[in-house]
Amino acid sequence: MPVAAVVSSPLDRCRETARAIVERQAVAPPSSVEDEITECDYGRWQGRRLDDLAKEDLWRTVQSHPSAVVFPGGESMTGMQARAVAAIRRHDAEIEAEHGPGAVWVAVSHGDIIKSVLADALGMHLDMFQRLEAGPASVSIVSYGAIRPRVLAINTDSGDLSWLAAGVRAGDAAVGGGAGAPAAEAAAPRIVT
């Protein structure tokens, strides 16, 4: 699947994945590092074992009411979501402006970042983002259109994504199901995370 650009979190594990994606392209797309899609700043929680963290009162809040969480010595989960969503939408607009509607690009990031971007695209409150899954090396696809984002895939690791090259019909669903597409959204750009 040819991509117009690859954007990565600055952490090594993401940069390695981004490099592998670029190396598999027939024509190497531009790639960049974006600090705003780096992992959440977990502060004093960073590097601790999950089974240890699960014993703390804040863990229950992370699981049930993440919008109320500020990690000790770190950032809030709402701050994490705001910076990540703003960066993804900015890159999407820049890539569409340069490559046109329908350009497919890749953002390589982290589970909580991806889930927070998906929650935003789905119109879900951050407190519900723990219901989403974003496994290692999985693919989630969001199409940002003129009217609203649409989530085309979440947490998949199988299948051929070449269907993205044919263009994704966007817009309101026709009465009774099916897809309709206003001309303004017929070839909305996609982001693959």
Side-chain angles (χ1 to χ4, degrees), residues 25-49:
Q25 295 293 302
V27 175
S31 62
S32 61
V33 171
E34 172 58 67
D35 290 338
E36 300 301 308
I37 65 170
T38 194
E39 184 65 276
C40 185
D41 180 355
Y42 297 113
R44 291 189 292 277
W45 275 32
Q46 189 67 35
R48 291 180 55 196
R49 296 178 49 89

Side-chain angles (χ1 to χ4, degrees), residues 126 162 189:
L126 182 62
S162 62

Side-chain angles (χ1 to χ4, degrees), residues 1-169:
M1 173 71 228
V3 298
V6 177
V7 179
S8 173
S9 156
L11 298 185
D12 286 343
R13 62 187 181 262
C14 289
R15 292 172 71 166
E16 290 171 7
T17 301
R19 190 171 21 257
I21 293 167
V22 168
E23 288 171 355
R24 284 165 179 75
Q25 295 293 302
V27 175
S31 62
S32 61
V33 171
E34 172 58 67
D35 290 338
E36 300 301 308
I37 65 170
T38 194
E39 184 65 276
C40 185
D41 180 355
Y42 297 113
R44 291 189 292 277
W45 275 32
Q46 189 67 35
R48 291 180 55 196
R49 296 178 49 89
L50 290 179
D51 57 353
D52 180 40
L53 294 172
K55 297 172 188 169
E56 295 198 18
D57 290 339
L58 185 59
W59 180 261
R60 284 186 295 282
T61 307
V62 169
Q63 300 306 312
S64 63
H65 191 49
S67 67
V69 171
V70 178
F71 290 101
E75 76 180 314
S76 70
M77 294 197 81
T78 56
M80 170 206 68
Q81 182 185 40
R83 72 170 160 80
V85 168
I88 292 298
R89 288 178 178 253
R90 178 175 40 80
H91 281 282
D92 190 71
E94 290 169 359
I95 291 166
E96 179 181 10
E98 183 175 344
H99 298 279
V104 175
W105 65 284
V106 179
V108 183
S109 191
H110 311 275
D112 282 349
I113 297 292
I114 295 166
K115 291 183 339 182
S116 73
V117 169
L118 288 168
D120 172 74
L122 289 164
M124 292 171 58
H125 193 278
L126 182 62
D127 286 343
M128 300 176 82
F129 98 130
Q130 297 291 21
R131 297 177 181 194
L132 301 172
E133 216 31 66
S138 68
V139 175
S140 296
I141 305 169
V142 176
S143 173
Y144 286 93
I147 298 173
R148 69 181 155 271
R150 293 185 318 133
V151 177
L152 305 174
I154 297 176
N155 194 46
T156 185
D157 62 1
S158 61
D160 178 1
L161 299 178
S162 62
W163 58 272
L164 286 170
V168 175
R169 300 285 295 170

